Amino acid sequence: MTNPILSFINRFNIAPKSSTEDLILKFTLILLVLDGSTGWGLDVFMRIICVLMLAFNQYTANKFLWLLIAVLLLFFNSLQFYNIDNHKILFVYWVLLLTVYMWTNKDLQYIKSNSKLLIGLVMLFAVFQKIINEFATPGFLHGCFLFDGRFMLITHFIIDTPYQELINNRNSTAILNLVPLNNSSVTLTSSSYMGVMLYAFQIFGLIFEGLVALLFLFSKKESTIKDIALIIFCIGTYFIFPVIGFSSILLILGIAQTKATFRKYYIFTFILLQFIIVPWQELIFYFQNSL
Amino acid sequence: MGLFKITEKYLICIVLIIIALIQLYHSQFDRLTPWKGGGFGMFSTNKRANITAVGYTSSGDSLIINVIGSKFDVPISRNFLTSTKNFPKKEKLEKLGTLIVNSYLHPQKLEIPSNIDRTSADLIKKDEKFYSTAFVPKYYQSDVIARSEKAIKIDKVKIILYETNFFEDGLLYKKRYVDEIYITKKVNKLK
């Protein structure tokens, strides 16, 4: 006797229309397993559903399971809407797009044109927010590199400030956060060289991000310049700002919209960027101080 | 292509634009951080909401409260505190105040950093007792354990919302007043 739940799910099995579609669906499932979670509630479902869809080919393009993933992502991410990172919201748009694609029997062009536009819009809003939030004036990256734990070691390597002074920077900002005094401030330790260098990097990053946005919004679908620009952006940005989920979703969107001959470069970059998780700052610091 | 066709084809992108525009409105004209809420403003600013709290005991003493969240022994969940900092709406600040005012507060030594500005340092010097300790909200299994750890309770709390930012000129990390609310402990009249 067939399991009634399984036979219900089986009714929604469809075969991917092409190897491209199969590839896009599988990469998305991999992304959801690796980084789709925004808490244990969603994580449990994602691990079970997505892993089974990857393990058994007949379920990879199952319409019901994709709808279920979309509903679960929508539900759990809505609960934590102001806590989750923007790339988790981008996951939801992407999964919704794939779900609509499967339920409405659209052609692959639907995915290609929408994923190209999604990249363009994300980049456009990121650039626009930076401009209106005074990113073009000096200080943003310098501030990050002085009191954000993710970048403090890079500061230590570049300007050779004793690590203890950087820890003091961070501790003094933490104490200032407790003190109920308006206009109180602490002076942080750094060098003007660091400020100038990071400001140059900040402006270059802003211009390049704007360029990627314009290329994805206005260039032709077949253009490889936009693809090269996105790959350079991902490699140049995410090895310093290690947000693996954002780089992965951008590259999957890249795979979805590019022509078949360029896809391998996106896949190679996807593999390369998995090395983001290597704690290279800590490793360098450890070897510097243990020798 | 007609409007209906465009909407049908690019519906998800249109949803992205609408949510990003709502986020832009809230981050520019309300208190939402540009980093969150679907507007793709991550890594765009160092401005952050800073929630500071001052408690008032029944004997009239005031004390600094270290507003932290934790999964374990602090009665403020980390998720709630993060969400409050990301979008410090009045209702959330009131809920935060209620959690603090109903909690035991455990004293911890506070060391004012030497790199604080001169005006603040002078003000701190005038009221050294107040600035020497920060109280952390904490769960206790019993009142006896709480008292043995010198934990206290308060009658009223002032939640003060500041905005912190980094300024390249002078390498200053500075806080600016935004708003404040008072939460008073509700007395159980049945007791």
Side-chain angles (χ1 to χ4, degrees), chain A residues 82 85 106 129 140 179 182, chain B residues 8 23 36 86 175 177:
Chain A
Y82 295 118
D85 292 331
K106 293 192 185 309
Q129 290 256 17
F140 171 73
V179 175
N182 186 26
Chain B
E8 197 226 348
Q23 193 276 353
K36 305 286 178 180
N86 289 338
K175 61 197 283 181
Y177 173 87

Side-chain angles (χ1 to χ4, degrees), chain A residues 68-102:
Chain A
L68 185 63
I69 291 173
V71 170
L72 288 170
L73 274 175
L74 258 180
F75 175 74
F76 282 101
N77 286 353
S78 305
L79 294 179
Q80 299 209 57
F81 189 67
Y82 295 118
N83 279 1
I84 58 174
D85 292 331
N86 286 306
H87 65 267
K88 304 274 181 183
I89 297 171
L90 188 55
F91 287 0
V92 180
Y93 296 140
W94 177 235
V95 170
L96 281 173
L97 189 79
L98 293 176
T99 309
V100 171
Y101 164 77
M102 272 184 274

